[in-house]
Structures are given as C-alpha cells and as structure tokens.
Amino acid sequence: ATVDDGTAVPADSAYFGHVAEGINEAARNEFLCLAAKTNSVIGPKSAFVHGIALTPQDLSLMATAGTSLVWSPRSNVSLYGDTALIPVARRSNVNLALGTDWLISGSMNLLRELRCADDLNATYFDHYFTDEELWMMVTYNAAVASGVDDVVGLLKPGLVADLTIYNGATHKDPRALLDAAPADVVL
C-alpha cells in the first residue's frame, strides 16, 4: 500500500493517520481515499485518529478489516463541536482506543481525556460504555491499535508489565482510574 505522497507502507508496519478529522465531506473523503483499493491502508495494523466524519458503513468496513479507531473526544468537541460515532463504532466491533490528540485543543494528559470520555459517556451516550470498557480503551485496546498487544496491554505471564498504580482509597477498580487526577498516581 502507499500513502497519499506515494510512499510505500511496508506490510508489517503500523499506520496511524489523522483521518476524517472534521464534520464535512472533505473530511470523510480522507477515509475514502485511504480505503480505495489502489492505495488501501485499511487493515489490522492501521488505526485512524478522530474519525468524526465516518459513517456507519465506513465503521463497518473498518471493523471487517480490523482497523482501529483512536477517539480524541476533547479535541473533537473543542474543534468541531462533535465527536465520532463511538457507540456505533463499538456496535460495529471496531477496536476503540483513546488518545489525547494534542495539547492545544485536547487534554494535557490521558487522565483528563478519560474524564472527558467518561463525561460524554454519561451525558450523551446514556452510560453505553462500562467503566471497564473505558479503561480498556487506554490499556489493551490501545495496545491492539498500536500492534503491540503481543508485548503489552494485559497483565499476563510473558508480557511486559507496563503498570501505573492509582490511589484506590475513594474508588475501586476502573473507577479509580476514571476519577483520578495526576496527584492520584501512586507509582
């Protein structure tokens, strides 16, 4: 496959592109061009950041191909007043990761981005995602999106123990992470 500047993408490389970042047809056209058979980068080693302009049909194509979506809700809402069809993506079986995008319009850290995602989930998605599903977006699902789930992403024998420990005095389990502030990082 090649990207829009004609550069070849090796078959074993991961591809992370900011795709369908916007709310108009021009934004969706980014996806359509990348999905075209002559230069398709849709596949299991690809992840698209944003995806605001993606349709349910686009999300279905991504799910079938194993392409992940990296959700950056704070930046999406700040810049475009909307975000991707995240519950539709989940129902389509798209692997969903969560990322901060960039500091200018996004969150300064992943904890703030998680809090934004949790707020949108409660306010607009009627708690569609469980606390555990939001937590998985920054752990295992992110490892899958990055193509490194054979190395990190789960606490499992043989994988690298990539850990952060949070103060669980107020909340337990994934809620301790979703409600955490930087001061709650113990290790």
Side-chain angles (χ1 to χ4, degrees):
T2 60
V3 291
D4 37 335
D5 68 356
T7 305
V9 178
D12 63 345
S13 294
Y15 177 75
F16 269 73
H18 285 229
V19 177
E21 182 181 356
I23 54 175
N24 58 21
E25 282 300 312
R28 180 166 182 254
N29 193 49
E30 294 172 347
F31 173 80
L32 296 175
C33 288
L34 289 170
K37 298 221 184 283
T38 56
N39 64 339
S40 179
V41 294
I42 307 280
K45 293 199 175 225
S46 291
F48 297 151
V49 181
H50 298 296
I52 305 165
L54 296 175
T55 66
Q57 295 80 13
D58 301 335
L59 294 166
S60 179
L61 177 63
M62 288 174 60
T64 300
T67 303
S68 296
L69 179 62
V70 181
W71 184 31
S72 299
R74 187 177 304 278
S75 184
N76 295 168
V77 172
S78 174
L79 292 173
Y80 305 106
D82 204 355
T83 193
L85 301 172
I86 297 303
V88 174
R90 178 66 188 96
R91 282 192 298 275
S92 299
N93 293 316
V94 172
N95 179 59
L96 294 171
L98 186 75
T100 60
D101 192 26
W102 65 331
L103 187 56
I104 295 171
S105 64
S107 296
M108 69 183 319
N109 59 52
L110 199 50
L111 291 175
R112 289 192 65 193
E113 197 71 20
L114 266 168
R115 192 163 292 194
C116 178
D118 185 44
D119 183 59
L120 287 171
N121 184 48
T123 305
Y124 296 101
F125 302 154
D126 193 29
H127 298 278
Y128 181 81
F129 296 98
T130 66
D131 290 352
E132 184 174 356
E133 287 174 313
L134 290 171
W135 168 61
M136 293 294 282
M137 287 182 193
V138 297
T139 56
Y140 179 72
N141 295 5
V144 169
S146 302
V148 295
D149 53 304
D150 60 334
V151 179
V152 296
L154 294 172
L155 291 176
K156 180 178 167 185
L159 298 186
V160 175
D162 184 12
L163 300 173
T164 305
I165 299 173
Y166 296 89
N167 181 346
T170 305
H171 298 290
K172 302 293 179 207
D173 303 319
R175 182 53 44 191
L177 173 64
L178 298 176
D179 287 342
D184 295 315
V185 177
V186 178
L187 177 66

